Structures are given as C-alpha cells and as structure tokens.
Amino acid sequence: MTYLGAIEGGGTKFVVAVGTSTGEIVDMESFATTMPEETMGRVVQFFENKKISAIGFGSFGPIDLNHASATYGHITLTPKPHWSNYDVVGHIQRHIDVPITFDTDVNAAALGEAMWGAAQGLSSCLYMTIGTGIGAGALVEGKLVHGLTHPEMGHLLVRRHPEDLYAGRCPYHQDCLEGMASGPALEERWGVKAYELSSDHKAWEIQAYYIAQAIMNYMLILSPEKIILGGGVAKQQQLLTLIREQVRTMLNGYIAHEAILNRLDTYLVPPQLKDCSGITGALVLAHQALQAAKAASIKHP
Ligand code: ADP
Ligand code: ZN
C-alpha cells in the first residue's frame, strides 16, 4: 500500500494526515499555528516513520507557487506575525525526502470536493471559505486555477449595504469583501462572537448581501458548475438560505440556466466532506506529486 501525506496549513490551526490515493484517511492530527519553526517542526515530527511516498500541502497565503522563483514554497507577505517570507516547503524538504505539491488551502479544498465531495464528477467548481479570512479556489476544465501568483478572491470590491456603517478591517483595502464579511469583521461590527448572533439577526442579511455579490461575480467570471461554501461562518445554515435568495435577486434571471433559476439549493451547497475538504484535497495533491515524480523519472531515468 502506498501512503500519502497531507497538510492543511491554516492561520489558526494546522491539520496533518496520512492517507491513500483513494481518499481514505488513516491517521490525522491537528495543532495550533504558532511560530513557524515550532509549527513546521510538529508537521515534520508527525510524518517521521510514517513511510509516506509524497506530500500534498494546501496552505494559507499569500504563497509563492512559481517553481522558477527563488522564493517558491514560501509564505510571502502575510499580516500573520513571523510567517512572512517563511520557506514552509523548504522546511519540510530539509527533513523529508519525498515529492511535494504545494497549493493554496482553498485550491486544495476545491480539489477535494471535486474528487470525492459535492462536485464529484464535475470538471469545474469553486470552493469559497468564510472564516478568519475569505478566499476561494477554483477548478476550471479539470485544472486548479493559478496564474501570475494565485487568485485572491476574498479581496473583491463590494457595494456597501445601505444600512451598514461599519468601516471594514482589511489592512490593505479596508472595506473589501474580506474587510466587511470575514468572521472577525462580523464580530467587530456587532461586538459578539458570530455564533452568538441569533439566526434572525440583521447581521445575516448584511452578511448575505456581501457574500452574494462575490458569488455573483465568481459565477459571471468563471461559470463554475457548482459552488461550495465552507469555513466557520458558513456553518450558519440560515446564512446559506439568505445568500441563495440574494444571488437570485442580484442576478435577476441573467444566467438563464436551470441550475441557477430552479435548483440554486443544489448549486450553492455546503462542503460534502464537512471539515475535511482541505485535508482530503491535500491527499489528491500528494497523489499528483507522486505521479509527476514517476513521470519525470521515466523521462530522465
Ligand atoms: P479559519 O478560517 O481560521 O481556518 P474557521 O473557518 O473556523 O477557521 O473560521 C473562524 C471564524 O469563523 C471565526 O471568526 C469564528 O468566530 C467563526 N465561526 C466559527 N464557527 C462558527 C459558527 N458555528 N457560526 C458562526 N461563526 C463561526
Ligand atoms: Zn482586502
């Protein structure tokens, strides 16, 4: 049996797992994200003696995914203290000699859902997370979208809700989507934890107004076959209902497809893999790393 290593690196916690290329997780652990040396040390320690053949790593970002770059595998410019310019992939590679595929946490989650979750069998989907930050990963024509760096779909500009006086908290753009609708924004605006707000609180209508704008834009630009909404804040089921209503209202019938007009409840859905979309997707990344290494060794034995 070939075992694969998976890492989901988040700003709050890291999840590490060992699993198979069919998506079965046989061992999993999670721990708080602290200082980079300490956190990456725990990652390496977990994989010691696990006999894994490759690693897939979905990471919080921004990250450098360009193989030709001197800073490939680094976290680049993050407001998270001590992690800016930290070489996360290099740290692993110094201790574990297996091929590694590195990607964004949200791309990994999109891949996990496409392989074994809500978007199984589809060649396109989008995974959006609303948690400490907001981000999205997209699969288009069977491939994860990268580009010059990687998409940063959490920082879209949004139209302000007419009753919302909150200033926004994005250190770069103030009232971009993440600045207005991340978990911490929601909590700063209302002065309570997000899960303490009653399900009929005004907060959810305002929240849905912002998230729906982003989803409409993602739909217009990428036309994904399925949109999956994950992250802590999206656990509020009433929010999903409100978002669907707003998306329908804002689109105003413009995308004349039955999936949008009549089946939005099966188009815009929670993650089928629950809290495991990212770590399961990282297993797929590991499988890809192994396949790529095998192909390279056939070409250059
Ligand atoms: P992270 O983004 O750090 O990986 P989460 O996706 O859990 O982690 O997001 C954390 C944010 O989501 C926090 O602001 C938290 O208050 C909020 N959150 C977590 N669980 C819930 C819940 N059940 N309902 C509403 N908000 C929640
Ligand atoms: Zn921003």
Side-chain angles (χ1 to χ4, degrees), residues 74-91:
H74 289 51
I75 307 273
T76 55
L77 200 73
T78 170
K80 193 165 173 57
H82 311 290
W83 284 82
S84 276
N85 306 312
Y86 192 81
D87 183 7
V88 284
V89 171
H91 187 114

Side-chain angles (χ1 to χ4, degrees), residues 152 154-157 169-179:
E152 283 285 3
H155 294 262
L156 296 191
L157 298 180
R169 57 175 286 135
C170 174
Y172 291 88
H173 322 110
Q174 186 124 7
D175 58 0
C176 69
L177 176 68
E178 182 173 288

Side-chain angles (χ1 to χ4, degrees), residues 131-133 166 169 181-189 233:
T132 308
Y166 178 62
R169 57 175 286 135
S182 66
L186 192 64
E187 293 171 350
E188 190 173 68
R189 183 192 281 107
V233 179

Side-chain angles (χ1 to χ4, degrees), residues 92-229:
I92 299 168
Q93 268 172 339
R94 277 193 295 280
H95 296 89
I96 311 172
D97 185 24
V98 296
I100 300 180
T101 296
F102 186 49
D103 214 318
T104 62
D105 46 4
V106 278
N107 264 355
L111 192 57
E113 288 290 329
M115 203 68 189
W116 296 299
Q120 199 170 0
L122 303 179
S123 63
S124 65
C125 73
L126 184 131
Y127 180 97
M128 179 184 196
T129 181
I130 314 163
T132 308
I134 297 184
L139 188 85
V140 173
E141 295 180 356
K143 287 198 166 145
L144 292 172
V145 177
H146 297 114
L148 185 66
T149 58
H150 53 75
E152 283 285 3
M153 296 193 239
H155 294 262
L156 296 191
L157 298 180
V158 284
R159 185 185 284 169
R160 182 173 279 274
H161 188 285
E163 291 162 65
D164 188 13
L165 300 175
Y166 178 62
R169 57 175 286 135
C170 174
Y172 291 88
H173 322 110
Q174 186 124 7
D175 58 0
C176 69
L177 176 68
E178 182 173 288
M180 297 303 271
S182 66
L186 192 64
E187 293 171 350
E188 190 173 68
R189 183 192 281 107
W190 300 103
V192 290
K193 286 281 168 203
Y195 55 80
E196 288 169 343
L197 293 161
S198 63
S199 61
D200 59 354
H201 197 285
K202 179 86 184 165
W204 301 116
E205 183 213 313
I206 294 179
Q207 184 73 2
Y209 183 73
Y210 294 122
I211 304 296
Q213 291 181 55
I215 288 177
M216 170 165 163
N217 288 334
Y218 304 153
M219 288 164 81
L220 294 171
I221 294 170
L222 294 170
S223 200
E225 290 162 284
K226 185 85 73 179
I227 296 183
I228 300 136
L229 212 53

